[in-house]
Amino acid sequence: MPRPVSLRPAVPALYSLALAAVVLGPLLTSPGYLLLRDAVSTPRSFPTDSALGLTDAAARAVPQDALLAAASSVVDGGLVVTALLTGALWAAGWGSARLVAVLLPTAGLPARLVAATVGVWNPYVAERLLQGHWSLLVGYAALPWTVVAAVAVRRGARSGWPALAVCLGVAGLTPTGALLASVTALAVLAPPGGRSRLVPRLAGAVALAGAVAAPWLVATAVSGGAGDGSDPAGVRAFAARAEPALGTLGSVAGLGGIWNADAVPASRTTVWALVGTAALLLVVACGVPALWRRRRNPVLGVLTALAAVAVLGPALAATGPGLQAGEWAMVHVPGAGLLRDTQKWVAWAVPLYALAAAAGVGTLHARFGGRAGVWATATALTVLLALPDLAWGVGGRVRPVQYPDAWQRVAATVPSGDGDVAVLPAGMFRRFEFSGAAPVLDPAPRMLRADVLQSGELVVAGGTVAGEGRGAAEVERLLLAGAAPADLAAHGVGWVLVEHGTPGDLGDSARTLEQLEPVVTDAALSLYRVPGVAGTPSDDRTAALAAHALWAAVSAGGLVGLLVLRRRVRRREHHGGRRRAREQS
């Protein structure tokens, strides 16, 4: 007689999915596109040179943009981003629960659900959602799974390497995610011990890390995006920020402190920031004694060290000496611009926080008695109430929008290979009536088949941070000066797109536009043709495409390996069940 199927193992996954749905409710219940600060989803995007990281700007969105270009050729791009973001929050909670099952195997289901709550429901997730860093959250979600996979490698499990390949590949959707997961994997694999040999496992992890980082490493090498250094002004602009009633250290210890004061939940702008942080840290502190008793476990030691770096590093980087060191690095260390948003590295603290919160359930149960489920419920509610407005799109601020029809007409008009697109007004950020009050990245680069020139210059509180796109900055200067169309054509510009209804500098561009042929004229957008331009594809596309293929192969190969192993296990279980049935008959 077959055994009844138990749903108990699926509870953490179902619970995490429910939490993700509560957080992302507006995106899941209404059609449209995520367009909020750095988050830009469009119906369709294309594999332009910019998407492959082959412009002179820093390659910060590879292979993310190439993946969206491929996926949106089959499925609407808005659905792709919503699915990836939902999967990220789901995986963050489920992975946290799985991490507890692996490292604290005596912790029961209630404790694992507490860990899942911490993984999904925290200020880091809220602030990165409001900043539009959906792809960073994909890398964040991979962290607990990366630890689980690295532990499997240490233990000599066959599933370890393919699982690690999948984790690093998924995290590698962005350069930051690749660094977060790769450092985590190497840190877990580095301590001696385990059934696998130290040097081979470290070498294997380094090889995987290099493969998943290939898209942005190759793009940076061939385009020179990091060759001139980053603007040192970005260090102060993107330093971690102290929240109300909390110093910088308290803010990052509470998993908050993002540099942009406008990208925080409303509750974190009041004294509730102190209350919520105290509640979260109390939940974590309850489990510290239990983790201390397991201090001989090298993996727990590594996660503790990573958490300490994640909290102390951004706090120290925001001090006077830390800012000076960062400014020096921006000028003298190639690629240091990737590190300037120091608060994003707070993600390394979350796996330890989730473990401590789960361990705290056992501590409370042992000390005060009662049922573990009651203590787990109280702990989870404490975490939820510490950040009440994360629900429903962080208080309704993360919601879909609809593009005016003119965007689709322009997208259908501009071909590839017929010159680049210059945009007006100047700058990368827009404030459209249809997208709400928050500034948003210009959607044109992800909407059009041609490369849209962007300087990368960012306007932040207290000043401007220069970008790396020198060529785009020169074209912008020509437009604002009212240059002749021939001057634009000499820089490879075949189109000028004017986006109406958003503030920004137009300079004397009207003189240039008067000499151009209007192709699309609408209240939302005007598109002009610049004559005499023939686009030339980048000579480096082959190398960039090969790097993206390598990244995809790592992820796909790992997934195939896991499926093959799972099929073998099921086959053995099936044959074992048949053999036992024959023996009993």
Side-chain angles (χ1 to χ4, degrees):
M1 183 176 181
R3 297 178 180 178
V5 177
S6 173
L7 293 178
R8 187 178 179 84
V11 169
L14 295 174
Y15 175 72
S16 301
L17 183 59
L19 286 179
V22 172
V23 173
L24 301 176
L27 288 176
L28 298 174
T29 57
S30 300
Y33 302 90
L34 180 60
L35 186 63
L36 178 64
R37 293 189 174 88
D38 294 349
V40 179
S41 66
T42 58
R44 179 80 166 87
S45 56
F46 302 91
T48 61
D49 286 350
S50 297
L52 297 174
L54 296 178
T55 65
D56 55 358
R60 296 189 178 96
V62 292
Q64 165 196 314
D65 285 354
L67 174 67
L68 292 181
S72 65
S73 67
V74 180
V75 181
D76 181 85
L79 291 177
V80 173
V81 170
T82 298
L84 288 171
L85 183 52
T86 304
L89 296 192
W90 179 21
W94 187 11
S96 297
R98 181 62 186 155
L99 182 64
V100 172
V102 170
L103 293 181
L104 304 176
T106 58
L109 177 61
R112 297 174 191 177
L113 298 183
V114 168
T117 307
V118 172
V120 175
W121 207 279
N122 62 67
Y124 186 89
V125 169
E127 293 176 357
R128 292 298 160 175
L129 280 173
L130 290 177
Q131 188 58 36
H133 288 174
W134 65 267
S135 51
L136 173 58
L137 289 175
V138 173
Y140 161 84
L143 291 183
W145 293 101
T146 300
V147 177
V148 170
V151 169
V153 171
R154 289 180 62 90
R155 295 174 177 175
R158 291 183 178 179
S159 62
W161 283 113
L164 188 60
V166 172
C167 292
L168 295 185
V170 169
L173 193 62
T174 62
T176 298
L179 285 176
L180 282 169
S182 297
V183 170
T184 300
L186 288 168
V188 173
L189 294 172
R195 295 183 179 179
S196 60
R197 291 186 296 171
L198 177 61
V199 173
R201 73 190 184 210
L202 287 178
V206 168
L208 287 177
V212 301
W216 57 273
L217 291 176
V218 169
T220 300
V222 300
S223 68
D228 297 328
S230 298
D231 187 351
V235 174
R236 294 181 184 272
F238 296 110
R241 181 186 54 86
E243 294 176 336
L246 293 165
T248 306
L249 180 60
S251 298
V252 296
L255 305 182
I258 192 172
W259 60 271
N260 187 357
D262 294 327
V264 298
S267 64
R268 301 287 294 187
T269 64
T270 68
V271 73
W272 192 259
L274 173 61
V275 176
T277 296
L280 176 61
L281 293 180
L282 177 62
V283 166
V284 172
C286 287
V288 169
L291 296 185
W292 176 254
R293 290 192 293 270
R294 296 171 172 83
R295 60 187 179 275
R296 294 184 180 277
N297 185 325
V299 177
L300 290 177
V302 163
L303 295 182
T304 302
L306 283 175
V309 170
V311 172
L312 295 177
L316 291 173
T319 63
L323 292 171
Q324 293 176 4
E327 290 168 349
W328 179 90
M330 293 302 113
V331 176
H332 297 96
V333 180
L338 185 61
L339 308 176
R340 66 187 181 183
D341 179 359
T342 54
Q343 193 269 349
K344 65 188 176 185
W345 309 107
V346 170
W348 274 322
V350 178
L352 182 75
Y353 278 36
L355 284 168
V361 173
T363 299
L364 292 170
H365 173 62
R367 184 174 181 83
F368 299 106
R371 296 175 62 88
V374 173
W375 287 113
T377 301
T379 302
L381 286 175
T382 300
V383 174
L384 295 173
L385 294 176
L387 192 60
D389 46 351
L390 177 55
W392 207 250
V394 197
R397 295 161 67 183
V398 181
R399 56 180 179 79
V401 305
Q402 294 288 346
Y403 289 99
D405 292 340
W407 283 93
Q408 287 298 332
R409 293 207 301 275
V410 169
T413 301
V414 177
S416 62
D418 201 12
D420 297 334
V421 181
V423 292
L424 289 169
M428 292 174 54
F429 279 85
R430 304 289 187 245
R431 290 183 183 269
F432 298 117
E433 182 178 351
F434 70 87
S435 64
V440 299
L441 270 177
D442 186 354
R446 290 167 175 82
M447 183 81 79
L448 305 183
R449 291 177 175 82
D451 277 302
V452 176
L453 301 177
Q454 289 194 317
S455 66
E457 182 177 278
L458 301 176
V459 179
V460 296
T464 300
V465 179
E468 303 88 355
R470 309 291 186 243
E474 175 61 17
V475 168
E476 186 176 275
R477 186 193 66 78
L478 290 172
L479 266 178
L480 297 181
D487 294 331
L488 296 179
H491 285 77
V493 177
W495 307 84
V496 176
L497 176 66
V498 183
E499 302 173 7
H500 304 299
T502 179
D505 186 9
L506 294 172
D508 293 328
S509 60
R511 287 193 298 169
T512 302
L513 299 179
E514 289 173 354
Q515 305 174 63
L516 300 178
E517 173 193 358
V519 179
V520 174
T521 303
D522 187 271
L525 299 171
S526 294
L527 179 68
Y528 297 84
R529 184 75 173 96
V530 178
V533 176
T536 55
S538 170
D539 295 333
D540 301 314
R541 286 182 67 89
T542 299
L545 290 171
H548 281 73
L550 178 60
W551 163 74
V554 170
S555 305
L559 183 59
V560 170
L562 287 176
L563 293 175
V564 169
L565 288 173
R566 185 175 180 83
R567 184 175 182 181
R568 289 178 179 175
V569 169
R570 286 185 172 180
R571 185 175 298 173
R572 285 198 299 268
E573 291 177 347
H574 176 70
H575 291 322
R578 293 180 59 183
R579 185 167 53 251
R580 287 192 297 270
R582 287 195 302 268
E583 292 172 352
Q584 293 174 0
S585 61

